[in-house]
Amino acid sequence: MLSVALMACSHSGKQPKLADECIYNPSKTQFCFWSNAAEQMEVLIYDEADSNQPSVISLAKGDNDFWTGSIDGDQAGKFYTVRSFQNGEWAPESPGIFAKAVSINGQRAAIIDMKATNPEGWAQDKRPAMTDPTDIVVYETHLRDFTISPVSGVAHKGKFLALTEEGTIIDHTNLQFRGNWSTGIDHLKELGITHLQILPMFDYGSIDETTLAKNNYNWGYDPVNYNAPEGGYSSDPADPACRIREAKQMVQALHKAGIRVIMDVVYNHTYDVMGCALGRVVPKYFYRLNEDGTFANGSGCGNETASDHEMMRQFMVESVCYWAREYHIDGFRFDLMGIHDQETMRAIRAALDEIDPTILTYGEGWAAMAPAYPYDSLAMKQWTYKMPRVGAFSDDIRNALIGSPFDHERGFASGNAACKDAVMRGLIACPEWSGEPMQHVSYITCHDNYCLRDRIEVSAKEDNWENQVRMNQLAQTAVLVSQGMTFIYGGEELFRTKRGIDNSYQSPDSINTIPWENKVFFNELYEYYRHMIAIRRAHKGFRLGSAEAVQEHVEFLPTENKHLICYHIKNLEGIDSAKSLLVLLNGGAKAIDAEIPEGIYTILAFDGEANEAGMGDYAGKHIFVEPYSATILAEN
Ligand code: CA
């Protein structure tokens, strides 16, 4: 027999949290759901994920439209849904908007003891040290891409646990080479990145978790349960605790390796409206509507959420805080951030600051279509400076270096001299919109659009292979010496190709996988990336950290050649081991004999090679910059 008790809101005097939908204790489980539209609400308790004879708990309406109830006894292992009676009928059941543990495919929420999901040593887990956001190098990957390759050498291919495996090397059983080439988490350590940004790892809907053996692929930008991990990345999606424990193990292992973890969060839309919890609990409230009552569509996916509505804002704030606290997540990348309003982004920033001010926040400062909200109040890139310590991806430096994704034109790094001024703005982090350098995410490629090799191939197809590789290196070099926060799309260091597919969101593994064998075949390119990252991390001059310091120390020396940028970071005594840094970027097909300030220099990069320890000394007033390449000098 179930003993069901009605109770008044247990959070007397304080606004309840959306995150407290289900609070488990061995003696009692409490429920608390928000709805401003329900006339009645019920929680249905099931013994199994797929059983169909629930015990029903009627919820009582308390203050501020929160509905509460509880059930005595130890309910761990059971499942629940919630439903509301509105407009004369019962809405479909849902796991609630803040389910933290879910059944397979996220259909029902699960009652579990969250403390029991903590891996051993979790209480001692610490975020790796971080001083300034411009010090960091973000590496973006999709969990499946990263290790699904048959030669990745990891055991848990495509899973959270893949990133807990140490000492993995390329499996060369069927390959024509030998050697210990590190993969997985060891590769990330060797490459020297500081943050791993993971494509959606919350529970999404496009992969059927009951048929994982079919190896379907999706990026995962279709949220189902925002606050539970995706089952497809776990060893057992039918066990609600498994995905939680394994996601935590992944974070813990990355932290031990000195790498912070950034989640890609997609609060801007849901896969559909009435099929998801937000729509089922309160139809329309969580979404923006057009004047005619239809759903607005700033996401291009059929709807856009309404961060400007009080409870949607609270939902987003609580959700990121939940991931930061429960999973020790170190940063959030907001998909189509331009759909959200600025006030919400500032509220998120303030809430995360209370947990740890080093938790990063940045996003895409644009929308897919015009959102149904005043443009001036949206978190668009143009208004980044109004949201302190919230960053935006710089399509400015991206387009200037390699061309816009909306055409196949060349950029500065592939020979288009008209982009030179825009590259220079990007190198100093576009202060006209960014405010501070850390708010400018310097990048050229990400999961969207062509990967770098493919981009250069379509825009510079008249150029030979050698030049295309040089353009690749030059473009990435500009990112890695820029004053903003730097970001690299995973696999570029291994010269990945997606065979001309510029939207691989559901392409097979063969397109999306990281090609580990390329670490051998294109090792020179890989080594260049690795050394360039080390050069950035060795020289504070490339990451001065404030707009004021950038203005004080950076100058562009005049050049006669339209393909040459001469980026000079000077007066670095007390800041950097070098007195000054000089970066000469040649985006043209001919070598340039460049005039430089007279001095004694260590050469850090020249003609497609780089080394943070230096490649020899140079004294003089001019130096060669080979075609499509960078010469980087540190003044002694
Ligand atoms: Ca899922």
Side-chain angles (χ1 to χ4, degrees):
M1 286 291 289
L2 292 168
S3 128
V4 175
L6 291 179
M7 52 177 272
C9 184
S10 62
H11 314 265
S12 53
K14 210 174 162 193
Q15 172 91 335
K17 285 184 171 173
L18 293 169
D20 290 344
E21 284 188 346
C22 175
I23 297 178
Y24 166 81
N25 276 299
S27 60
K28 184 196 263 190
T29 295
Q30 293 166 262
F31 297 100
C32 181
F33 293 88
W34 181 83
S35 171
N36 66 354
E39 295 155 43
Q40 297 178 55
M41 283 192 102
E42 291 178 346
V43 168
L44 293 82
I45 309 268
Y46 296 91
D47 286 341
E48 307 286 340
D50 56 358
S51 59
N52 53 17
Q53 290 196 316
S55 309
V56 178
I57 303 172
S58 294
L59 303 181
K61 189 174 182 178
D63 294 341
N64 303 317
D65 298 315
F66 280 90
W67 296 69
T68 57
S70 70
I71 178 167
D72 287 337
D74 192 342
Q75 304 298 323
K78 294 187 180 173
F79 296 83
Y80 69 89
T81 60
V82 61
R83 64 174 184 170
S84 60
F85 188 82
Q86 49 199 355
N87 303 322
E89 59 181 352
W90 286 101
E93 294 170 50
S94 90
I97 65 173
F98 220 108
K100 297 169 181 170
V102 295
S103 66
I104 199 159
N105 281 330
Q107 292 302 296
R108 287 178 181 167
I111 302 173
I112 65 166
D113 179 1
M114 287 299 284
K115 285 192 205 80
T117 65
N118 292 344
E120 201 181 320
W122 187 239
Q124 287 76 46
D125 178 62
K126 279 205 169 62
R127 302 176 196 282
M130 186 188 112
T131 310
D132 191 297
T134 56
D135 294 346
I136 78 172
V137 180
V138 181
Y139 182 98
E140 182 192 38
T141 200
H142 179 278
L143 285 171
R144 191 172 174 92
D145 298 7
F146 194 58
T147 56
I148 200 67
S149 161
V151 304
S152 72
V154 307
H156 303 89
K157 290 184 170 56
K159 305 288 183 187
F160 290 124
L161 290 183
L163 279 158
T164 66
E165 296 180 38
E166 291 179 324
T168 59
I169 56 167
I170 299 177
D171 177 353
H172 48 61
T173 311
N174 297 309
L175 297 171
Q176 298 300 313
F177 59 83
R178 294 291 175 266
N180 294 335
W181 305 86
S182 66
T183 63
I185 201 167
D186 283 12
H187 171 79
L188 297 177
K189 278 162 75 175
E190 180 186 284
L191 182 59
I193 59 106
T194 65
H195 284 60
L196 186 67
Q197 179 189 306
I198 300 172
L199 264 78
M201 55 173 265
F202 53 77
D203 179 32
Y204 59 79
S206 49
I207 295 295
D208 182 350
E209 297 174 10
T210 66
T211 61
L212 293 177
K214 288 187 176 169
N215 286 332
N216 291 323
Y217 182 93
N218 206 284
W219 280 344
Y221 290 91
D222 45 291
V224 174
N225 290 292
Y226 281 105
N227 299 295
E230 161 59 20
Y233 299 132
S234 75
S235 307
D236 182 5
D239 172 3
C242 178
R243 58 178 79 189
I244 299 170
R245 185 183 313 110
E246 292 180 351
K248 288 177 177 176
Q249 284 178 268
M250 176 188 75
V251 173
Q252 185 182 37
L254 285 160
H255 282 176
K256 271 190 193 152
I259 296 167
R260 287 188 170 214
V261 183
I262 297 171
M263 257 182 92
D264 191 336
V265 287
V266 189
Y267 298 111
N268 66 75
H269 76 281
T270 53
Y271 185 69
D272 60 6
V273 176
M274 287 314 292
C276 81
L278 291 176
R280 285 183 180 181
V281 172
V282 188
K284 301 200 171 177
Y285 174 83
F286 290 103
Y287 301 88
R288 293 197 189 115
L289 304 176
N290 295 316
E291 278 176 13
D292 64 3
T294 57
F295 287 97
N297 186 24
S299 68
C301 301
N303 62 77
E304 71 183 65
T305 55
S307 60
D308 47 301
H309 292 184
E310 184 189 352
M311 298 313 283
M312 184 64 204
R313 177 175 298 151
Q314 186 175 332
F315 177 73
M316 291 170 62
V317 168
E318 286 190 38
S319 181
V320 294
C321 289
Y322 173 69
W323 285 101
R325 285 199 175 100
E326 183 70 31
Y327 290 84
H328 304 180
I329 294 291
D330 308 294
F332 299 91
R333 174 264 186 202
F334 293 83
D335 189 62
L336 298 184
M337 185 173 71
I339 288 177
H340 306 316
D341 66 306
Q342 293 160 20
E343 194 179 332
T344 296
M345 296 313 299
R346 286 189 291 261
I348 285 171
R349 190 60 264 172
L352 288 173
D353 280 344
E354 287 188 20
I355 299 171
D356 185 335
T358 67
I359 295 172
L360 292 174
T361 44
Y362 58 90
E364 294 181 303
W366 50 73
M369 296 198 255
Y373 198 69
Y375 182 83
D376 289 359
S377 300
L378 290 170
M380 293 290 183
K381 182 189 76 178
Q382 181 181 350
W383 313 122
T384 300
Y385 66 92
K386 295 185 182 183
M387 298 173 284
R389 295 174 43 252
V390 176
F393 283 94
S394 177
D395 52 350
D396 303 52
I397 195 169
R398 177 195 71 191
N399 295 352
L401 282 166
I402 61 168
S404 154
F406 300 110
D407 58 44
H408 286 177
E409 298 295 311
R410 292 169 185 248
F412 174 81
S414 41
N416 185 352
C419 298
K420 178 173 159 177
D421 287 350
V423 171
M424 296 193 300
R425 299 302 298 166
L427 288 170
I428 57 166
C430 298
E432 63 275 19
W433 59 257
S434 71
E436 290 295 332
M438 63 107 19
Q439 294 176 263
H440 177 277
V441 181
S442 298
Y443 84 118
I444 39 177
T445 51
C446 65
H447 65 276
D448 279 320
N449 311 127
Y450 290 116
C451 61
L452 186 54
R453 176 173 167 179
D454 293 355
R455 169 72 208 185
I456 289 172
E457 206 167 290
V458 300
S459 55
K461 51 183 175 290
E462 298 83 3
D463 278 84
N464 63 24
W465 169 265
E466 191 202 338
N467 274 351
Q468 290 186 13
V469 174
R470 298 174 77 89
M471 292 167 182
N472 180 314
Q473 292 179 250
L474 175 61
Q476 209 69 265
T477 301
V479 168
L480 288 169
V481 297
S482 72
Q483 296 292 338
M485 203 176 78
T486 56
F487 173 104
I488 291 176
Y489 179 40
E492 302 294 22
E493 81 283 13
L494 301 177
F495 207 43
R496 77 182 301 168
T497 171
K498 295 204 267 189
R499 295 186 219 159
I501 294 170
D502 64 352
N503 184 5
S504 64
Y505 77 103
Q506 57 176 7
S507 298
D509 292 336
S510 57
I511 297 297
N512 281 303
T513 186
I514 297 277
W516 289 106
E517 63 281 6
N518 281 8
K519 192 161 178 177
V520 182
F521 301 143
F522 299 101
N523 189 254
E524 282 180 18
L525 182 88
Y526 168 70
E527 284 296 317
Y528 184 82
Y529 272 67
R530 187 172 75 77
H531 284 300
M532 275 309 308
I533 289 170
I535 287 171
R536 176 179 185 82
R537 294 188 67 184
H539 288 281
K540 189 70 183 157
F542 296 126
R543 38 192 178 81
L544 290 164
S546 74
E548 199 184 351
V550 171
Q551 196 171 20
E552 185 185 336
H553 294 280
V554 174
E555 67 178 354
F556 290 98
L557 302 176
T559 59
E560 282 178 14
N561 192 307
K562 62 183 182 170
H563 288 293
L564 181 68
I565 291 174
C566 197
Y567 167 44
H568 190 212
I569 310 153
K570 58 183 181 173
N571 303 333
L572 293 176
E573 290 85 354
I575 296 173
D576 196 307
S577 57
K579 280 188 200 156
S580 74
L581 295 162
L582 194 57
V583 178
L584 301 130
L585 303 169
N586 179 2
K590 291 186 181 134
I592 297 170
D593 185 7
E595 270 185 64
I596 57 171
E598 189 163 12
I600 300 166
Y601 297 99
T602 298
I603 300 170
L604 299 177
F606 184 80
D607 193 22
E609 284 185 52
N611 196 320
E612 62 282 8
M615 304 192 305
D617 292 337
Y618 182 83
K621 287 165 65 173
H622 60 95
I623 192 165
F624 273 101
V625 196
E626 298 296 321
Y628 304 117
S629 78
T631 296
I632 304 179
L633 305 172
E635 189 186 1
N636 298 314

